[in-house]
């Protein structure tokens, strides 16, 4: 690690205090039973300057020595066929695959299954949660978004970004998705190397990167926070929408994302096992993040306007209505102060759709059996993903 000290510089700022004393942060503490303090801050803060050096070296040895599509095919061969000590491949490739091909001792297949089942049976609520809470809420953390801005993600377009996020999420959250050589395992390794490629590109081409304030690009602490979004924040959103889940399903979500994070090269002691731990970790990380800036607002509005740009729905009135529903959910799931900072538009009757959704969920979850909900949710996810892949091309995963 190049640096070892960073301070909780925003711990006394209004946005931090409001979130943790009055907003969703307070609700997360109540939800999880967390005991938040800064006593362990210095155990985590060095990871703001820590990166996946193994992944970076693979990119240098494979992607930077040949054409991009040739390198991708080579990596796919390693993922699908495996790598042994005797193979004639770069040492960095051997190191990475020695690590990911051996399942860690703590891995529990039953918990992975429970986590996948909760993702699937949550159906469209899972996608609402990912988009209107986890993703857009993440834009309120200004420094976290800097890699997206400097790699010109806005020019790529929200439809493409959303398609790739959905592709990744769906494929790592199915049954047996993370078995060695399986599709979710492949997506995790590819995502790890995409991160390394982006990080090395930023360091090479973006001279104005502010390492002192922003940390290393796509650093391990930011990655921890991102995967807490997929677990803790995701669960909190489902709860807000009146979805119930068992203790085993709850632990399963954390276990699933701990393993995905492990495959992505995040140090495993940064990856929480349960909601109490996740909330305490998230509290520490959020103290180094300023609130929304102009880049945050651009990213949020790009995501909101995705509904208008996306050709999946044929008619413009359908697209406008979909945007309206996402705005309603965003206001319901996020704190009002966060929505105001992100300039989320005010709309009429914004509480009606979330309240109808909650009531519908209570009835649906009471009348329909768990197995049927898992099957129905899985079909909905696959249909939405199919629609997105049909209208986008050139995905990093295919």
């Amino acid at each position: 690690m190049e640096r070892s000290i960073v301070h909780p510089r925003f711990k006394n700022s209004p946005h931090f205090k409001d979130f943790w004393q009055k907003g969703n942060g307070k609700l997360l503490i109540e939800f999880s039973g967390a005991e938040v303090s800064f006593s362990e801050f210095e155990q985590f803060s060095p990871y703001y300057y820590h990166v996946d050096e193994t992944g970076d070296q693979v990119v240098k040895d494979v992607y930077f020595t040949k054409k991009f599509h040739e390198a991708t095919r080579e990596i796919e061969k390693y993922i699908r066929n495996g790598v042994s000590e005797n193979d004639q491949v770069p040492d960095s490739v051997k190191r990475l695959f020695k690590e990911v091909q051996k399942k860690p001792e703590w891995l529990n297949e039953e918990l992975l299954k429970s986590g996948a089942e909760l993702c699937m049976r949550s159906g469209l609520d899972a996608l609402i949660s990912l988009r209107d809470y986890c993703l857009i809420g993440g834009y309120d953390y200004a420094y976290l978004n800097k890699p997206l801005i400097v790699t010109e993600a806005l020019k790529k377009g929200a439809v493409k970004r959303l398609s790739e996020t959905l592709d990744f999420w769906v494929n790592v959250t199915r049954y047996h998705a993370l078995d060695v050589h399986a599709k979710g395992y492949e997506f995790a390794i590819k995502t790890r190397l995409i991160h390394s490629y982006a990080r090395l590109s930023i360091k090479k081409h973006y001279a104005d990167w502010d390492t002192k304030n922003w940390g290393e690009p796509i650093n391990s602490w930011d990655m921890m926070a991102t995967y807490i979004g997929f677990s803790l924040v995701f669960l909190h959103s489902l709860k807000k929408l009146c979805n119930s889940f068992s203790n085993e399903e709850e632990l399963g979500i954390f276990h699933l994302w701990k393993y995905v994070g492990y495959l992505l090269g995040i140090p495993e002691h940064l990856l929480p096992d349960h909601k109490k731990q996740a909330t305490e970790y998230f509290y520490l990380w959020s103290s180094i993040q300023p609130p929304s800036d102009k880049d945050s607002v651009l990213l949020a509005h790009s995501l909101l306007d995705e509904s208008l740009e996306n050709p999946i729905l044929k008619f413009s009135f359908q697209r406008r209505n979909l945007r309206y529903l996402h705005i309603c959910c965003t206001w319901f799931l996020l704190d009002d102060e966060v929505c105001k900072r992100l300039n989320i538009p005010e709309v009429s009757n914004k509480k009606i759709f979330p309240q109808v959704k909650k009531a519908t969920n209570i009835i649906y979850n009471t009348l329909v059996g768990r197995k049927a909900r898992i099957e129905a949710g899985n079909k909905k996810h696959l249909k939405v993903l199919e629609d997105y892949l049909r209208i986008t091309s050139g995905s990093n995963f295919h």
Side-chain angles (χ1 to χ4, degrees):
M1 298 179 197
E2 294 177 18
R3 298 162 183 79
S4 58
I5 298 296
V6 63
H7 300 287
R9 64 194 96 168
F10 296 104
K11 69 177 183 178
N12 294 316
S13 298
H15 75 279
F16 180 82
K17 286 185 170 182
D18 285 349
F19 181 80
W20 289 104
Q21 293 175 9
K22 297 189 291 186
N24 271 329
K26 180 175 184 286
L27 296 178
L28 286 172
I29 291 171
E30 293 169 358
F31 171 56
S32 67
E35 300 171 31
V36 296
S37 76
F38 291 100
S39 61
E40 296 185 351
F41 183 85
E42 290 183 5
Q43 294 179 34
F44 288 85
S45 58
Y47 289 94
Y48 203 42
Y49 304 108
H50 176 274
V51 298
D52 172 23
E53 293 179 357
T54 301
D56 288 6
Q57 193 59 50
V58 171
V59 169
K60 290 173 186 175
D61 292 341
V62 179
Y63 280 89
F64 288 178
T65 60
K66 48 183 68 69
K67 292 178 180 177
F68 188 87
H69 72 276
E70 292 174 357
T72 299
R73 297 288 88 81
E74 184 176 325
I75 292 295
E76 286 176 348
K77 184 182 74 173
Y78 300 148
I79 292 170
R80 294 168 188 176
N81 301 328
V83 174
S84 72
E85 280 294 327
N86 299 322
D87 288 346
Q88 297 300 306
V89 299
D91 287 343
S92 60
V93 172
K94 288 183 181 178
R95 277 198 307 277
L96 186 145
F97 282 93
K98 183 179 181 182
E99 174 189 317
V100 298
Q101 287 173 171
K102 185 177 185 295
K103 292 188 175 182
E105 290 183 5
W106 48 260
L107 190 66
N108 181 318
E109 297 288 348
E110 284 303 309
L111 282 179
L112 282 184
K113 180 173 180 253
S114 294
E117 287 181 339
L118 179 55
C119 288
M120 288 187 284
R121 80 170 177 82
S122 302
L124 294 181
D125 279 9
L127 306 187
I128 289 170
S129 299
L130 290 168
R131 177 177 179 141
D132 299 334
Y133 192 170
C134 307
L135 196 56
I136 203 164
Y139 293 154
D140 191 44
Y141 300 99
Y143 292 166
L144 178 66
N145 302 315
K146 294 308 173 190
L148 280 175
I149 297 300
V150 303
T151 54
E152 300 187 319
L154 285 167
K155 290 185 179 178
K156 185 178 183 179
V159 178
K160 184 78 183 304
R161 287 203 317 279
L162 203 57
S163 175
E164 291 183 346
T165 302
L166 182 65
D167 204 5
F168 168 75
W169 185 85
V170 168
N171 279 290
V172 299
T173 57
R174 305 303 101 170
Y175 287 127
H176 302 295
L178 300 173
D179 290 350
V180 175
H181 312 313
K183 199 169 183 182
Y185 168 89
E186 178 169 328
F187 272 59
I189 306 304
K190 285 183 175 179
T191 301
R192 179 175 184 170
L193 297 180
I194 289 166
H195 289 160
S196 285
Y197 191 96
R199 177 167 47 246
L200 293 170
S201 298
I202 290 169
K203 291 171 76 70
K204 181 178 180 181
H205 300 295
Y206 194 79
D208 294 332
W209 182 265
D210 183 0
T211 304
K212 182 175 183 294
N213 285 308
W214 302 348
E216 288 290 335
I218 317 176
N219 62 74
S220 295
W221 210 12
D222 283 356
M223 288 290 290
M224 177 206 80
T226 300
Y227 284 81
I228 286 175
F230 282 123
S231 53
L232 175 71
V233 178
F234 176 78
L235 283 173
H236 189 230
S237 181
L238 292 183
K239 184 173 184 289
K240 280 189 160 199
L241 292 166
C242 288
N243 290 279
S244 59
F245 37 84
S246 68
N247 185 58
E248 182 157 344
E249 286 176 322
E250 180 184 295
L251 291 173
I253 286 284
F254 286 102
H255 200 72
L256 188 154
W257 288 106
K258 180 171 183 171
Y259 188 41
V260 174
Y262 169 84
L263 292 175
L264 264 79
I266 304 171
E268 60 185 80
H269 56 276
L270 295 184
L271 297 163
D273 291 311
H274 48 75
K275 62 187 177 185
K276 180 177 183 292
Q277 212 172 44
T279 304
E280 291 164 358
Y281 290 5
F282 188 52
Y283 179 82
L284 295 175
W285 172 84
S286 66
S287 71
I288 61 163
Q289 291 287 323
S292 306
D293 60 10
K294 63 180 187 347
D295 291 332
S296 305
V297 174
L298 286 172
L299 286 165
H301 281 255
S302 175
L303 181 59
L304 290 179
D305 292 343
E306 183 270 347
S307 300
L308 303 178
E309 300 162 10
N310 194 324
I312 290 174
L313 295 177
K314 186 175 180 181
F315 299 107
S316 60
F317 77 89
Q318 294 174 301
R319 298 178 193 177
R320 289 195 302 272
N321 187 54
L322 182 60
R323 181 178 183 269
Y324 167 77
L325 296 178
H326 281 303
I327 290 171
C328 292
C329 288
T330 299
W331 276 103
F332 173 71
L333 293 168
L334 298 184
D335 295 341
D336 284 358
E337 291 306 311
V338 173
C339 288
K340 289 171 186 174
R341 285 198 293 269
L342 292 171
N343 288 346
I344 306 300
E346 282 280 3
V347 293
S348 61
N349 302 313
K350 64 189 178 189
K351 294 182 180 179
I352 293 177
F353 176 66
Q355 295 303 328
V356 170
K357 197 84 187 69
K358 287 167 62 177
T360 304
N361 284 338
I362 292 170
I363 296 167
Y364 179 69
N365 293 336
T366 303
L367 297 180
V368 181
R370 184 172 180 274
K371 185 178 179 183
R373 282 181 278 150
I374 291 169
E375 291 174 357
N378 181 48
K379 284 180 182 176
K380 288 173 184 173
H381 293 167
L382 295 178
K383 177 65 171 70
V384 174
L385 177 58
E386 179 188 340
D387 287 342
Y388 268 91
L389 293 180
R390 178 169 44 81
I391 61 162
T392 57
S393 59
S395 169
N396 284 311
F397 298 118
H398 300 281

